Amino acid sequence: MNVIEMRDISKRFPGVLANDHVNLAVKKGTIHAIIGENGAGKSTLMNILYGLHRPDEGQILLNGQTVSIHNPRQAMKLGIGMVHQHFMLVPSFTVAENVVLGFEPQKGLRFDRTRAIRLTRELSEKYGLNIDPSVKVEDTTVGIEQRVEILKTLYRGADVIILDEPTAVLTPQEVQELFQTIRFLTESKKTILFISHKLQEVLHIADTITVMRRGKVVGNLAAQDATEQQLASLMVGREVLFEVEKQQTRIRDTLLEVRGIQALDKRALLAVKGVSFSVRRGEIVGIAGVEGNGQTELVEVLAGLRPAIAGEIVLNNAPIHHCSVQERRQRGMAHIPEDRMTVGLNLKGSVADNLIAGKQRQIPYQGSFLYSNAKEIKMYARQLIDAFDIRTSDPDATASTLSGGNMQKMVVAREFSFGAPCLIVSQPTRGVDVGAIESIHQKILDQCAAGAGVLLVSAELDEIYKLSDRILILYEGEIVGEFRPHQISKEEIGLYMTGAKRQERGRM
């Protein structure tokens, strides 16, 4: 029996036909994956199902009955829940407070905290989520935050749960834990809609796969009958290279030196503990590690977004640890941040404004009397939009209207366009599709071949392996191993990432 049917759904935004007569049928108690390029219409379709958008045409059937879903609260009453790619939690609240928020149990006129904790614990145990209801969200990991979001949907009575890019910010271990949770949910007769770009994961977890391209459904397949190459070709409309060819580059003199850097996290605890390494021109140095082991703080210190409490940073033989972000950029550093939403972009600004950021005061983009030269800015923006295949209706479109993957392409396009010799690249392909991953990887290699030095921080071990000349492993704020890709297996790297192994300092 189909629990969800979406028939001939169409949705238009200014200049964009996001969904073009889409049909979707989802069987009860199954895991149904929806895949496609960035901007293919996946999230728009699910936002319609969850009541965040209204369709221009078409109808939705729930258990065979036509329904009109005007808002998320109505969707929740119908048993449809959604876990968004960017979590919507209150960090200073406990797990239990976040789970019941908006639907709080009452004792008289007051919030019944004891009951909220009990209900959260019971749900957590019932679905094998194993979360402490009393801990504050800000003191948990990203994987736990996602479980809290799932608990929120279950608390509200969801039988259909939409997971939008659920593994984008998870470690390999957390992905496996999530998959165990998903299977447990389907065994409990829940239905999962799984939006993803990661084809290996989709083939591993899904029962059925719907492929979308440019707003249309281009394929419906049983996961057991599909291949990664077949799905990729359907997604992008051409053959995709899963392995970019890494040419041997000439590694030259030292470009970036990091000496004994120490830094605090947001709780004023020591997160980076005397880290030292170097990056040479023509070299890609990868940093592997489970998220939360100091990578974020280290990158923010290098980019000038967080002060170091000790140590030195030397770029092109000149110290920069006291320089501002802008001064570091002027001296030849570009930075792709891990969080495009809060650090990488001005979501209220236009696509053109975001692409020109950092160059807006340069000729020809600045006109007379400090006014911007709109014509030149638009022309420049269109060049980057074409070069990086950013799917947008217009350079004047607001950045927040783009899909997450196209937002990421905007950040990558802007930072690579500076021609900076030193690139600090953090999670460059998070939330982007296979075609864009291929393109971004190639552009990183091109920058390296042109003589740039690249520091690559990624939660994707495959990415680290494919691109890096050297791999540094970070655990609890310290470098615990340094290897070349051919010297170590992914399984052994996992032991270093979890602290089970540690290389002697003299051997690094």
Side-chain angles (χ1 to χ4, degrees):
M1 175 184 175
N2 292 330
V3 62
I4 295 288
E5 286 186 62
M6 303 182 78
R7 297 178 178 173
D8 288 322
I9 298 292
S10 292
K11 180 64 181 178
R12 295 171 181 82
F13 297 105
V16 177
L17 180 57
N19 288 154
D20 185 1
H21 295 92
V22 173
N23 290 284
L24 178 73
V26 181
K27 287 186 170 60
K28 186 176 179 63
T30 63
I31 303 166
H32 192 117
I34 303 174
I35 66 172
E37 289 184 282
N38 300 126
K42 311 179 299 296
S43 293
T44 298
L45 187 67
M46 291 300 97
N47 285 335
I48 288 171
L49 182 59
Y50 189 58
L52 289 168
H53 297 318
R54 295 291 306 279
D56 298 323
E57 301 174 48
Q59 62 179 148
I60 300 171
L61 283 75
L62 179 64
N63 294 315
Q65 301 295 314
T66 301
V67 294
S68 294
I69 305 174
H70 300 281
N71 53 58
R73 183 172 284 269
Q74 190 175 6
M76 284 186 272
K77 284 183 179 179
L78 292 169
I80 301 169
M82 185 169 185
V83 177
H84 298 272
Q85 183 177 350
H86 302 284
F87 303 148
M88 299 181 179
L89 301 173
V90 182
S92 60
F93 282 16
T94 66
V95 167
E97 288 167 344
N98 272 283
V99 167
V100 303
L101 187 62
F103 300 85
E104 298 89 344
Q106 300 290 316
K107 191 173 186 178
L109 297 176
R110 301 179 64 183
F111 169 47
D112 191 341
R113 189 179 307 277
T114 302
R115 189 170 171 223
I117 291 172
R118 177 173 58 80
L119 290 171
T120 302
R121 181 174 286 112
E122 287 173 356
L123 266 180
S124 175
E125 291 173 354
K126 179 179 179 180
Y127 292 102
L129 291 166
N130 301 318
I131 306 175
D132 181 354
S134 302
V135 70
K136 286 188 175 181
V137 165
E138 64 188 0
D139 296 328
T140 65
T141 64
V142 172
I144 294 297
E145 287 182 26
Q146 187 173 68
R147 293 188 201 180
V148 177
E149 288 281 15
I150 293 172
L151 265 183
K152 279 171 58 179
T153 68
L154 294 169
Y155 176 75
R156 288 155 177 74
D159 289 314
V160 176
I161 302 174
I162 303 164
L163 300 177
D164 189 2
E165 297 291 348
T167 66
V169 295
L170 301 185
T171 66
Q173 295 91 333
E174 287 170 333
V175 170
Q176 292 309 310
E177 291 170 2
L178 172 66
F179 285 177
Q180 289 175 11
T181 298
I182 289 174
R183 291 192 181 98
F184 197 96
L185 289 170
T186 55
E187 288 168 6
S188 303
K189 307 304 181 186
K190 305 293 183 184
T191 303
I192 306 296
L193 281 156
F194 188 95
I195 307 173
S196 182
H197 294 108
K198 300 182 179 181
L199 302 184
Q200 288 181 347
E201 292 179 356
V202 165
L203 289 169
H204 181 69
I205 191 66
D207 299 305
T208 307
I209 303 169
T210 293
V211 187
M212 294 185 67
R213 186 169 74 239
R214 295 186 179 269
K216 296 182 178 182
V217 171
V218 294
N220 284 293
L221 306 90
Q224 63 184 12
D225 299 329
T227 66
E228 196 173 348
Q229 187 64 60
Q230 180 186 18
L231 294 177
S233 297
L234 281 170
M235 280 173 61
V236 302
R238 62 174 175 82
E239 187 175 348
V240 175
L241 299 176
F242 287 97
E243 296 285 342
V244 291
E245 187 175 352
K246 190 173 188 298
Q247 301 287 344
Q248 188 68 37
T249 59
R250 186 167 70 90
I251 296 175
R252 293 176 279 175
D253 53 307
T254 298
L255 174 69
L256 176 71
E257 286 187 82
V258 178
R259 303 170 182 165
I261 285 293
Q262 295 185 30
L264 303 177
D265 63 15
K266 61 185 178 182
R267 298 170 295 172
L269 300 175
L270 192 62
V272 183
K273 305 170 183 176
V275 166
S276 300
F277 62 88
S278 64
V279 180
R280 292 175 290 177
R281 297 176 190 273
E283 181 182 40
I284 300 174
V285 176
I287 293 186
V290 176
E291 288 197 38
N293 278 273
Q295 301 97 314
T296 296
E297 291 81 5
L298 175 61
V299 168
E300 288 179 352
V301 167
L302 296 177
L305 298 171
R306 180 184 298 268
I309 61 172
E312 293 181 302
I313 305 168
V314 178
L315 178 62
N316 279 322
N317 297 316
I320 63 165
H321 42 278
H322 297 303
C323 293
S324 67
V325 173
Q326 185 62 27
E327 288 170 332
R328 293 180 200 214
R329 188 180 289 283
Q330 290 169 351
R331 295 188 184 205
M333 179 180 283
H335 170 221
I336 295 174
E338 67 176 64
D339 188 344
R340 57 183 174 249
M341 302 290 284
T342 59
V343 181
L345 297 168
N346 170 15
L347 295 179
K348 294 181 180 179
S350 70
V351 171
D353 289 340
N354 278 279
L355 289 173
I356 200 66
K359 293 186 175 182
Q360 69 272 23
R361 291 189 176 89
Q362 298 178 9
I363 296 173
Y365 311 116
Q366 180 175 301
S368 57
F369 303 106
L370 300 181
Y371 287 105
S372 297
N373 188 332
K375 182 180 177 182
E376 289 290 343
I377 290 173
K378 273 194 178 184
M379 190 182 305
Y380 175 75
R382 286 195 177 98
Q383 290 172 357
L384 291 186
I385 288 168
D386 291 341
F388 287 81
D389 191 27
I390 301 168
R391 303 288 172 84
T392 179
S393 57
D394 189 82
D396 288 330
T398 306
S400 62
T401 63
L402 273 66
S403 68
N406 279 297
M407 289 183 191
Q408 184 71 7
K409 289 190 215 175
M410 261 201 294
V411 177
V412 172
R414 182 186 66 225
E415 296 304 308
F416 281 9
S417 71
F418 283 101
C422 179
L423 300 173
I424 310 297
V425 180
S426 186
Q427 315 298 346
T429 59
R430 176 170 283 171
V432 303
D433 60 64
V434 288
I437 289 172
E438 174 193 19
S439 174
I440 290 171
H441 282 178
Q442 188 59 58
K443 284 177 166 57
I444 290 173
L445 293 174
D446 290 345
Q447 297 274 332
C448 186
V454 180
L455 181 70
L456 171 67
V457 181
S458 177
E460 302 287 345
L461 262 185
D462 284 342
E463 188 164 64
I464 292 285
Y465 255 83
K466 287 176 185 176
L467 300 179
S468 302
D469 297 293
R470 283 187 293 135
I471 299 173
L472 309 178
I473 306 167
L474 203 63
Y475 175 70
E476 292 189 344
E478 298 180 275
I479 293 174
V480 296
E482 178 179 336
F483 303 93
R484 296 194 180 278
H486 66 272
Q487 293 177 324
I488 187 170
S489 68
K490 293 176 188 176
E491 290 73 22
E492 192 174 1
I493 280 188
L495 295 175
Y496 282 90
M497 287 169 63
T498 56
K501 292 188 75 173
R502 186 186 188 100
Q503 197 176 27
E504 294 177 16
R505 292 292 297 178
R507 292 181 56 205
M508 292 188 197

